[in-house]
Amino acid sequence: MSSVAEAKPETAFPIPAGVFAETVTSVTHYTDRLFAFRMTRPQSFRFRSGEFVMIGLPNAEKPVYRAYSIASPSWDEELEFFSIKVPGGPLTEHLQKIQPGDTVLMRKKPTGTLVLDALKPGKRLFLFSTGTGIAPFASVIRDPETYEKFDQVILTQTCRLDAELKYGRELVENTKTDELMSEFVGDKLLFHASATREGEPKGERVTKLIESGKLCSDLGIEALNPETDRAMICGSMAMLREIEGLLQDRGFEEGANNKPGTYVVERAFVD
Ligand code: A2P
């Protein structure tokens, strides 16, 4: 077997051992709080949809790394990430300024619980997110296996402002019309988006919508049922706790890679 050595970019500090050094190919700013970027993917890098990696920048002897869900699907030849911009945040303060051609560091081992393997077989898959918590689901909804395993996939995103929902809206639209994916997706993918601090009337938090049953009635689907439904949750700690409580009240049980259940949660965050 032959292996091609990947060219290492020139950076002010040496690239640490054991990490990939990849080149940014595009950056899209959605709001003053959110942006997405794409970068080259190492030939040897494999991951499961929904996993995260540790990302850093070559701007210090000891770079700061943060957990980032991979937003792109496993068949994509590039890697995509969706990030918040934290004022003064040790990584995002610098990461938000990256441009095509810049270098991003990535530790080699992907991991995480928001994977199909951690869920028992079911009929419907609910993906609950707030803000950049949609990132792992951007990968999951672009994985053909998701539609082989589930009859319906329901993605929800709650953001403060309408402009923050643009990434998710475009993602869902592009997934439905993508030449490769549309064949798998058909009419199986539903999206519920709400902006809680804008519009008249303002959108409601997904937690409220679950409690009142409005989430399912708005979408014209049956109420949550642990017999048929599986769920993944990604968002702030408070949101995770609240949705977990709502699911547990309805008879759902947490799963893990080594013990599949009826819902899974990711507890690794960006700064
Ligand atoms: P709200 O505007 O009512 O605070 P943030 O940017 O603070 O992470 O919030 C992103 C979105 O998640 C906002 O719409 C926010 O609603 C919502 N949110 C914050 N906390 C929770 C929670 N515990 N459960 C559900 N949604 C939440």
Side-chain angles (χ1 to χ4, degrees):
M1 217 169 80
S2 69
S3 72
V4 182
E6 288 176 31
K8 293 258 177 179
E10 281 196 22
T11 51
F13 291 92
I15 305 286
V19 301
F20 293 117
E22 297 306 309
T23 306
V24 176
T25 55
S26 67
V27 184
T28 309
H29 292 271
Y30 289 91
T31 67
D32 56 0
R33 297 204 318 142
L34 296 175
F35 72 110
F37 65 95
R38 292 176 65 84
M39 66 185 204
T40 53
R41 174 176 173 175
Q43 276 187 353
S44 59
F45 181 70
R46 297 278 173 276
F47 66 98
R48 293 179 298 169
S49 302
E51 287 190 315
F52 67 88
V53 279
M54 304 305 289
I55 290 280
L57 286 171
N59 58 356
E61 204 73 57
K62 285 197 172 161
V64 173
Y65 289 90
R66 289 286 180 271
Y68 270 82
S69 293
I70 303 167
S72 46
S74 51
W75 49 261
D76 197 329
E77 60 187 30
E78 291 187 338
L79 295 172
E80 180 181 311
F81 299 93
F82 185 43
S83 177
I84 195 152
K85 307 174 191 180
V86 182
L91 177 60
T92 63
E93 178 75 7
H94 306 286
L95 193 65
Q96 64 180 283
K97 297 184 187 126
I98 53 168
Q99 307 271 354
D102 288 351
T103 301
V104 169
L105 305 178
M106 182 175 86
R107 290 217 178 114
K108 293 194 170 177
K109 207 178 150 5
T111 184
T113 48
L114 300 179
V115 291
L116 295 173
D117 292 346
L119 290 174
K120 290 179 176 168
K123 290 203 164 77
R124 303 190 299 181
L125 176 63
F126 283 80
L127 305 169
F128 297 112
S129 72
T130 53
T132 55
I134 196 173
F137 305 146
S139 181
V140 171
I141 67 162
R142 289 185 278 184
D143 185 340
E145 196 187 336
T146 302
Y147 303 93
E148 282 161 14
K149 290 193 161 171
F150 292 95
D151 298 337
Q152 198 163 48
V153 179
I154 301 104
L155 171 65
T156 81
Q157 188 185 22
T158 311
C159 287
R160 295 182 187 186
L161 306 176
D162 196 67
E164 295 174 336
L165 296 165
K166 188 170 180 220
Y167 174 86
R169 288 202 176 107
E170 287 179 354
L171 164 79
V172 170
E173 210 38 53
N174 293 340
T175 304
K176 284 181 174 172
T177 53
D178 180 81
E179 208 181 323
L180 170 80
M181 285 308 301
S182 57
E183 206 179 302
F184 296 96
V185 179
D187 56 5
K188 289 180 168 184
L189 177 60
L190 301 180
F191 183 43
H192 191 291
S194 51
T196 49
R197 300 195 190 180
E198 204 175 41
E200 211 37 73
K202 288 191 179 58
E204 282 182 300
R205 288 183 173 192
V206 69
T207 36
K208 269 253 163 132
L209 296 168
I210 296 172
E211 264 175 333
S212 65
K214 203 166 173 303
L215 176 69
C216 292
S217 62
D218 274 0
L219 293 168
I221 58 175
E222 281 175 28
L224 275 165
N225 175 356
E227 296 298 317
T228 51
D229 300 338
R230 305 294 171 251
M232 296 185 177
I233 319 170
C234 193
S236 65
M237 191 51 92
M239 176 270 201
L240 299 183
R241 286 215 188 97
E242 283 186 39
I243 298 198
E244 276 200 270
L246 291 167
L247 291 179
Q248 286 170 1
D249 289 348
R250 286 161 179 74
F252 286 77
E253 286 174 356
E254 186 172 5
N257 275 287
N258 57 2
K259 190 177 179 289
T262 49
Y263 80 88
V264 281
V265 174
E266 187 62 81
R267 295 187 176 85
F269 300 109
V270 297
D271 56 355

